[in-house]
């Protein structure tokens, strides 16, 4: 498997920010994070805990205790970031 050509899809409701350094060290550069909820939303406590990319970028603006370091790290280590609308409306999932 060629890590530079591999796409990792995370949909496990865990803190993605904690796993990114290991993925990067392994040479993974393409990543999709399905659990990208707004602050306070999500299916699990981990989803609502402020560690999704969307939440971390919001923290960059509002400056909230230690999370700012994670947000700055994410911002400084991304080459590109995009959000796409859900395929299925929340009412149907």
């Amino acid at each position: 498997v060629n890590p530079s050509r591999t796409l990792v899809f995370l949909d496990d409701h865990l803190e993605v920010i904690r796993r990114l350094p290991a993925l990067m060290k392994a040479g993974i550069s393409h990543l999709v994070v399905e659990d990208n909820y707004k602050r306070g939303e999500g299916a699990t406590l981990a989803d609502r805990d402020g560690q999704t990319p969307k939440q971390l970028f919001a923290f960059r603006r509002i400056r909230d205790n230690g999370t700012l370091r994670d947000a700055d790290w994410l911002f400084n280590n991304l080459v590109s970031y995009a959000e796409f609308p859900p395929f299925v409306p929340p009412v149907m999932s």
Side-chain angles (χ1 to χ4, degrees), residues 37-62:
Y37 298 100
K38 295 177 187 173
R39 187 173 187 185
E41 294 182 5
T44 68
L45 181 58
D47 293 336
R48 298 184 293 272
D49 195 29
Q51 297 298 317
T52 70
K54 182 185 304 234
Q55 294 167 357
L56 287 168
F57 285 133
F59 279 127
R60 277 186 58 104
R61 289 189 290 276
I62 62 172

Side-chain angles (χ1 to χ4, degrees), residues 22-79:
L23 290 169
M24 292 170 66
K25 185 176 181 180
I28 302 293
S29 58
H30 306 287
L31 177 70
V32 173
V33 179
E34 195 278 332
D35 309 314
N36 196 21
Y37 298 100
K38 295 177 187 173
R39 187 173 187 185
E41 294 182 5
T44 68
L45 181 58
D47 293 336
R48 298 184 293 272
D49 195 29
Q51 297 298 317
T52 70
K54 182 185 304 234
Q55 294 167 357
L56 287 168
F57 285 133
F59 279 127
R60 277 186 58 104
R61 289 189 290 276
I62 62 172
R63 299 211 172 249
D64 191 5
N65 53 26
T67 305
L68 182 61
R69 283 188 304 250
D70 291 338
D72 285 341
W73 182 91
L74 181 63
F75 182 80
N76 291 323
N77 284 280
L78 284 180
V79 173

